[in-house]
Amino acid sequence: MQRLERSQTRAELAIEVNKTEAQLTQIQKLGQLAKQKMITANLRLVVAVAKKRR
């Protein structure tokens, strides 16, 4: 792997990880969904802990 002076294009990244650009898009969408679920779950936990400490 070589260092670039710029960000990789989606095509370059796809080649590097041996996936198609469509597969990368799907992976990115799944990652964003997982991140949102984690944020929501964490917020629920924070609220639950805050309620118990009242």
Side-chain angles (χ1 to χ4, degrees):
M1 176 159 63
Q2 66 186 34
R3 289 216 168 245
L4 301 176
E5 296 296 321
R6 58 177 173 74
S7 297
Q8 287 181 315
T9 64
R10 288 187 69 76
E12 290 169 337
L13 181 59
I15 291 169
E16 187 172 326
V17 297
N18 198 26
K19 301 283 184 194
T20 65
E21 288 185 59
Q23 288 171 317
L24 284 181
T25 300
Q26 183 65 24
I27 291 167
Q28 183 180 23
K29 286 179 182 179
L30 289 172
Q32 288 171 343
L33 179 61
K35 180 181 177 181
Q36 189 59 47
K37 284 184 176 184
M38 178 69 83
I39 290 168
T40 302
N42 190 47
L43 182 58
R44 282 190 193 120
L45 177 62
V46 169
V47 169
V49 169
K51 283 182 178 180
K52 286 182 182 180
R53 290 188 176 243
R54 282 165 133 210

